[in-house]
Amino acid sequence: MTGALLLATLAAGCDNIAEDDRYITVEKPVVENPRTLLIMEFTGNNCKNCPNGAAMVDQIKEDDGSGRVISVGLHPYGDINTNPVFSKYTMPDLQDLRSQAATALYDYYKPSGFPTAIFNGLRSSMSGSIPEWMQKASEALAVSAAMSITASTTYDEASRKLDVDYSIEFGNNVGRRLNVTVWLVESGIMGTQTMPDGKLNLDYEHNHVLRASLNGDWGDNIGDDFHVGEIRNGNASMTLDEKWNASNCDVVVFVYADDNKEVEQALQIPAIADETTSDDEI
């Protein structure tokens, strides 16, 4: 077949393809009730790679742009990366960001190194490779949620008591045993951090540090069979430590499956707030 004949044949073949069949249209999935992503990150003030992990989490939030990414820094007891260190901001005490709530997660997930991130609670999502985190976050954000969370807080400055009321409304039937946990996290904590070059930064800002759980290490069970339109209400409270800045604290409320710890939905609101917030308003 000559070159001219070949070109003519190809051209004729193209003419026989309908306009609608020339391109494959890939529909972007529509998530009617997006699931908020909860990133739990094992981190520590003695971990030189942890600032890179924190920077990646910040980048994930910025790139997503939806406001539906919540990050919580876990500083557990029992790991060299989280041992207390000197800080000019806590003198004469050492800087200690550890918490019992973080330790319970550390004992369950058993990370092989720091930093390690977990995306919506699934052990299979756990990764210590920072370059993987963006893709794992993208995959988690594509999943829809079966419920919505609404929450409000009341804080008494004199007693430092914080009360949290939450409501969970189901938009789909769920046949799983579910728990709800309420956390207190603090940002804007100035202190010491080992940096990637091995040097100490004495003016490092630690953010979204898990301070405590208001309702125990693993929260409260709310049942194992839920139907469309069903609502479950609850509350939790605690007295804040004098060393914590209540103005810099947030409350994280999340629902997770009891069997594999998968986070089904999450919400973050300021600890000191004047009105109710829902996950639809983030």
Side-chain angles (χ1 to χ4, degrees), residues 32-212:
E32 296 182 357
N33 184 25
R35 182 183 300 189
T36 294
L37 169 59
L38 175 60
I39 302 175
M40 298 183 289
E41 180 189 0
F42 288 105
T43 185
N45 39 224
N46 297 307
C47 165
K48 70 177 184 178
N49 289 324
C50 286
N52 290 334
M56 175 58 77
V57 172
D58 288 342
Q59 188 65 52
I60 290 171
K61 291 181 177 180
E62 182 179 340
D63 288 356
D64 173 64
S66 69
R68 292 186 177 275
V69 179
I70 299 171
S71 58
V72 177
L74 308 177
H75 298 252
Y77 289 95
D79 193 285
I80 191 172
N81 290 290
T82 61
N83 283 343
V85 296
F86 162 83
S87 170
K88 63 184 181 181
Y89 293 95
T90 60
M91 291 178 59
D93 298 328
L94 294 177
Q95 171 184 298
D96 191 351
L97 302 176
R98 300 173 298 178
S99 69
Q100 170 54 39
T103 305
L105 295 166
Y106 180 77
D107 292 340
Y108 174 78
Y109 288 103
K110 295 179 173 57
S112 59
F114 280 42
T116 290
I118 302 164
F119 300 82
N120 272 345
L122 288 172
R123 191 189 294 273
S124 60
S125 76
M126 186 166 63
S127 171
S129 175
I130 296 174
E132 293 181 349
W133 294 4
M134 187 70 74
Q135 178 62 33
K136 287 183 174 291
S138 178
E139 293 170 357
L141 283 165
V143 180
S144 61
M147 75 284 294
S148 298
I149 303 174
T150 301
S152 63
T153 62
T154 303
Y155 178 69
D156 183 79
E157 188 173 355
S159 65
R160 295 183 62 82
K161 184 182 180 186
L162 174 67
D163 291 289
V164 179
D165 293 305
Y166 60 83
S167 181
I168 303 163
E169 181 173 1
F170 288 83
N172 298 91
N173 295 332
V174 178
R176 305 182 73 179
R177 182 177 176 84
L178 300 179
N179 295 341
V180 58
T181 300
V182 183
W183 280 348
L184 183 78
V185 300
E186 183 180 359
S187 293
I189 305 171
M190 300 304 298
T192 300
Q193 174 66 48
T194 301
M195 302 303 290
D197 61 4
K199 297 180 180 179
L200 292 180
N201 182 348
L202 302 181
D203 296 291
Y204 185 87
E205 183 175 331
H206 298 272
N207 291 311
H208 46 78
V209 174
L210 177 58
R211 287 301 198 181

